[in-house]
Amino acid sequence: MKNLLNVAINEVGITEIKGIEHNKRILEYAEQSFFSWIKDDETPWCSIFINWVAKQAGLDTSKSAAARSWQTVGFETQDPEPGDIAVFWRDSINSHLGHVGIYLGFSKDGTRIYVLGGNQGDAVSISAYPTDRVLSFRRLTNTGSAKLPPSPLRNGSKGNNVVKLQNALKVLGFNPGTSDGRYGNKTENAIKQLQSTNSKLNITGIYNASTKKYMETLLANKG
């Protein structure tokens, strides 16, 4: 998720303007996403910002200004990594209100979660939220642009082809960890889990020609 984080970090410091004037950059977040009807910087914009960031990074979006809409995007992970999406409840767990931001990490005592997001103190900033308010951690994918790299790849492989493989695994619901271009144990285990769903494949953890062909079939069916 490095690209998503890079996009968001470059926006830190963008702040609402009090009064009748509005920050043009915040209006651009809305205009360039799915919210051309928004003409001010007072409308709650945490989800608008994450939609803009995800779109810039080429990832799936919620297309909704509601923070909790992100509970339906990507897939849930119990082992969040920087760049995943954190969805929180606000006021009441049973209300429609919430907040959404990009997960950065837990506090040392585990009671708070640091997220980079919009509309945090009326700005794009890094803020901490109570851990007990988390509804879901989501790992974003891009179903429409999943492209498989050439085979073979294995534990120890590095580079953009590994990133492509990791992104494709996420689309198919297997967790290779962060798409960092390093074929480590998490990516190997994700390949093993995928191979275990097809009795004709040997469970080797190696992305080989037969595994690639199987993934091509799965991705075609998903599309």
Side-chain angles (χ1 to χ4, degrees):
M1 309 299 282
K2 183 178 179 181
N3 189 28
L4 182 142
L5 276 174
N6 285 346
V7 172
I9 287 171
N10 285 332
E11 302 301 310
V12 169
I14 298 297
T15 306
E16 294 178 18
I17 299 174
K18 302 298 182 184
I20 61 173
E21 189 177 353
H22 306 293
N23 190 312
K24 292 181 180 179
R25 186 57 170 165
I26 295 175
L27 299 185
E28 287 177 357
Y29 299 151
E31 179 66 31
Q32 294 174 12
S33 303
F34 313 92
F35 313 101
S36 59
W37 49 272
I38 292 177
K39 304 299 182 182
D40 62 74
D41 62 5
E42 279 86 34
T43 299
W45 50 282
C46 66
S47 181
I48 293 168
F49 177 70
I50 298 301
N51 268 282
W52 181 84
V53 171
K55 186 176 180 182
Q56 298 301 309
L59 298 169
D60 287 337
T61 59
S62 77
K63 299 180 178 63
S64 170
R68 295 196 187 203
S69 65
W70 288 90
Q71 289 182 268
T72 65
V73 185
F75 64 90
E76 186 170 24
T77 176
Q78 302 297 326
D79 184 24
E81 298 186 0
D84 288 332
I85 299 299
V87 186
F88 302 89
W89 59 268
R90 183 162 58 87
D91 288 357
S92 167
I93 195 170
N94 295 317
S95 75
H96 293 291
L97 301 177
H99 181 68
V100 61
I102 302 169
Y103 169 83
L104 296 178
F106 285 92
S107 63
K108 188 174 181 180
D109 62 6
T111 62
R112 293 171 296 161
I113 295 170
Y114 294 98
V115 297
L116 193 170
N119 203 23
Q120 297 182 168
D122 296 334
V124 179
S125 64
I126 296 173
S127 301
Y129 292 84
T131 301
D132 60 9
R133 291 201 175 188
V134 172
L135 289 170
S136 179
F137 291 111
R138 312 296 300 184
R139 185 152 294 160
L140 302 186
T141 62
N142 189 341
T143 303
S145 65
K147 296 180 180 179
L148 290 172
S151 61
L153 295 168
R154 66 188 71 222
N155 201 321
S157 297
K158 298 178 182 179
N160 191 54
N161 281 338
V162 176
V163 173
K164 291 179 180 179
L165 175 61
Q166 290 168 327
N167 288 338
L169 284 165
K170 291 175 186 177
V171 169
L172 294 174
F174 298 92
N175 183 5
T178 302
S179 296
D180 57 3
R182 296 176 181 273
Y183 199 128
N185 292 336
K186 284 188 176 181
T187 301
E188 181 180 87
N189 288 336
I191 288 290
K192 286 180 177 179
Q193 291 170 11
L194 179 139
Q195 291 169 334
S196 73
T197 66
N198 185 335
S199 60
K200 296 181 180 180
L201 295 178
N202 293 322
I203 303 175
T204 62
I206 298 171
Y207 172 71
N208 51 28
S210 56
T211 301
K212 180 177 184 289
K213 185 175 181 179
Y214 178 50
M215 291 181 70
E216 288 173 341
T217 300
L218 293 177
L219 288 168
N221 290 338
K222 195 174 183 69

